[in-house]
Amino acid sequence: MPSDMTDAPDMIEPVPRRTRSVLLAVGAVLVAMVVAVVAWVMVGPGVAIIDGRSVYVGFGASPAVLVRAHASNAPWGDFVSATGRVLRSGGGLPPTFTMEGRDLSPTSRIRPRDRVASVRGRDVAESIVTTTAPEPAPVRYEGEGPDQTVISSGTAGVALLKVGEVSGDVVQKTIVIEPVAKVMRRGAYPAGSLLVALTFDDGPWPGQTEAILDILKANDVKATFFMLSGAANHHKDLARRVFAEGHLIGNHSVNHKNLSKSTPDVVRFEIVNAADTIQAITGYRPVWFRPPGGNYNAAVLQIMAESGVKLAMWSTDTNDWRKPSPQDIAGRALAGQQQVKVVLMHDGGGDRSRTIAALPQVIAEYKARGYRFVTFDHVPPDQLPH
Ligand SMILES: [Zn+2]
């Protein structure tokens, strides 16, 4: 600026020509800019087609810019466990892009009107770490029966594990020290043991059978349920729950007919069809058959033998179906001091709320007297009631 000031006295002659040429140059630049803007607008407003959608790319965007602009549409890879489970959806690598079948490198520019397709980003797997864990001793059983005696306690081994660092999933397991099996001997309870078989007839019955199962489970007691297949058919899940919880299922006929007054064909149907139905529902074919009302005769016994079922009666009748008080039911269930007892109660056939109310006391008192609870198949053969 100071030089312009000193030049000032000379400006009168040459300046008009220089001003004109400067104006011309500025004008040419402006025209060129207008032409460029018009040309750019005509070529395209900065839009590329990504996966069929228009995305603004300006004068050309890199794939990284597209990932941000397009993040909600182009799929990222997942963060996965060492076994391939998805641990965090979208926690893997960002998507990549292809143009006309060729991969776009991170430094490629995407220009207006390019047609680009996204490719799902790669998954990222967690790291794998090595650790050790105790390998539990397996249990080996010898013999059959409700009584269990430990023969040898066994020892745990050691396993070398390769596990996912985040998921804990085991990828590889190598036993470096073999465990030694625990051995249990199963058998009948020793001769002279006090045994009681709780039996429940006429179910399954919604609400009541569950309540009884809950009480038995809470007291770690296994019992026997003589089911009507007609009821089991209506409440299949309940029949399956009885079986799944380790109770024995007995056959109590289809429809609770008095078999002593039925024709042989009806007797056969009531026994065999009930066994077929219960087997279809639970997978278990009941062996023990309790005739409805305890009614049987020589003809019924003959058909039972031909049908492959065995007679299952009781020694202690609670008469709970007559709906006495819970105290009465408990008193009858506990009456008598026999070494082996089979107690008759009902989970179905009507309101059994009194039976349910009496049951905890019955179980507690039998335990206090030193009885062990068995399912009907573990009643000693010479002690079967009939
Ligand atoms: Zn019955």
Side-chain angles (χ1 to χ4, degrees), residues 201-202 252 256 292-293 346:
D201 289 11
D202 299 353
H252 195 39
H256 216 272
H346 294 82

Side-chain angles (χ1 to χ4, degrees), residues 200-203 226 228 252-253 256 290-294 314 344-346 348-349:
F200 299 92
D201 289 11
D202 299 353
F226 288 94
L228 296 171
H252 195 39
S253 84
H256 216 272
R290 179 170 282 169
W314 59 87
L344 171 61
M345 291 180 276
H346 294 82

